[in-house]
């Protein structure tokens, strides 16, 4: 490794880094609240993997293709720069692509709003070893993910599939429901801003988080801690029981 990876990832991900390195699992689910650095971690792991292993390529996916440029593409570009390897990569905007020049490994980008584009992916050599589903909760169901994986997971023996997302508010959402089902080839690693070195995020971030914790604790728990707080059946969540006077009724 060109730069010590542990100096670039939050301690909460050190164990996950070793699991990825040793291919302990195939599927890595990374739910978390704001500031949990899950996307930064995934981007570093993918870039390191491509630079160290010829013949392995990667694909980054979002539900909607137009969101790729400002999300996963920018995040992977950040990882390349952070690792001090910018001069070794060919980065193209149209179409979106990244190629590690020393071994030819590529990163391609796709939106699942056009599933036919996945079927047309052709690589001159090697296979798609890494896949990243960013903002997993935007996808409609696990079936949609599995359909994509049927096109992606071909031609190789080792795969690393990453899923990053802020858990939906409802505990009944398919992502939250799937996350708690034990599977032998899957690990779930949660993170939040409290797991990250304070200077990485800056004091203003912590101020806003702690302010919400005081003012709106349930919203803080969901947005910053990544904990689902609703059942999905609520219409009004600020209702309280009370006895109304005739005067109050007459004001309606």
């Amino acid at each position: 490794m060109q730069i010590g990876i542990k100096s670039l990832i939050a301690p909460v991900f050190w164990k996950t880094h070793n699991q990825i390195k040793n291919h302990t699992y195939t599927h890595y689910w990374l739910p978390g609240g704001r500031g949990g650095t899950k996307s930064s971690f995934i981007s570093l792991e993918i870039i390191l993997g491509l630079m160290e292993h010829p013949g392995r390529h990667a694909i980054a996916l979002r539900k909607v293709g137009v969101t790729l440029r400002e999300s996963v593409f920018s995040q992977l570009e950040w990882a390349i720069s952070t690792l001090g390897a910018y001069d070794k990569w060919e980065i193209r905007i149209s179409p979106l692509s990244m190629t590690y020049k020393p071994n030819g490994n590529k990163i391609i980008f796709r939106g699942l709003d056009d599933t036919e584009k996945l079927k047309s992916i052709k690589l001159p050599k090697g296979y798609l070893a890494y896949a990243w589903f960013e903002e997993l909760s935007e996808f409609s169901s696990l079936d949609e993910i599995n359909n994509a994986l049927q096109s992606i997971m071909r031609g190789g023996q080792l795969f690393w599939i990453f899923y990053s997302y802020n858990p939906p508010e409802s505990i009944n959402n398919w992502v939250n429901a799937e996350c708690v089902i034990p599977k032998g080839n899957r690990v779930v690693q949660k993170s939040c801003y409290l797991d990250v070195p304070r200077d990485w995020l800056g004091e203003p971030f912590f101020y806003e988080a702690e302010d919400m914790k005081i003012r709106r604790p349930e919203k803080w728990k969901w947005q910053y801690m990544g904990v689902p707080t609703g059942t999905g059946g609520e219409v009004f969540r600020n209702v309280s029981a009370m006895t109304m006077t005739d005067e109050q009724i007459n004001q309606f």
Side-chain angles (χ1 to χ4, degrees), residues 154-196:
R154 298 177 178 179
Q157 296 297 319
L158 300 178
F159 294 91
W160 292 261
I161 315 298
F162 298 100
Y163 310 81
S164 56
Y165 61 99
N166 293 73
E169 189 172 12
S170 171
I171 60 175
N172 295 324
N173 182 279
W174 77 267
V175 175
N176 294 329
E178 179 65 25
C179 181
V180 298
I181 299 175
K183 286 191 174 182
N185 65 347
R186 176 172 70 192
V187 66
V188 178
Q189 177 58 64
K190 300 179 181 180
S191 66
C192 71
Y193 73 102
L194 297 176
D195 297 315
V196 178

Side-chain angles (χ1 to χ4, degrees), residues 47-143:
I47 296 301
L48 281 171
L50 296 184
M51 291 197 299
E52 293 177 355
H53 301 284
R56 294 180 184 174
H57 305 279
I59 182 170
L61 305 107
R62 288 286 304 266
K63 172 66 175 180
V64 180
V66 295
T67 61
L68 291 164
R69 175 68 181 89
E70 301 300 325
S71 58
V72 283
F73 186 87
S74 294
Q75 185 64 65
L76 287 160
E77 192 173 19
W78 168 86
I80 291 170
S81 178
T82 299
L83 290 167
Y86 209 88
D87 61 330
K88 296 182 179 179
W89 284 81
E90 180 183 356
I91 299 174
R92 293 184 176 179
I93 303 298
S94 183
L96 295 178
S97 68
M98 297 176 174
T99 304
Y100 185 54
K101 291 183 281 189
N103 62 23
N105 284 352
K106 295 180 178 294
I107 306 175
I108 57 180
F109 300 83
R110 293 291 188 274
L112 283 192
D113 46 343
D114 188 353
T115 55
E116 290 302 313
K117 290 183 179 180
L118 285 181
K119 299 177 182 179
S120 64
I121 294 174
K122 301 295 182 184
L123 297 166
K125 61 178 180 178
Y127 70 104
L128 289 172
Y130 302 90
W132 178 10
F133 293 90
E134 169 72 318
E135 300 294 353
L136 181 64
S137 58
E138 292 179 351
F139 297 91
S140 60
S141 66
L142 187 62
D143 285 340

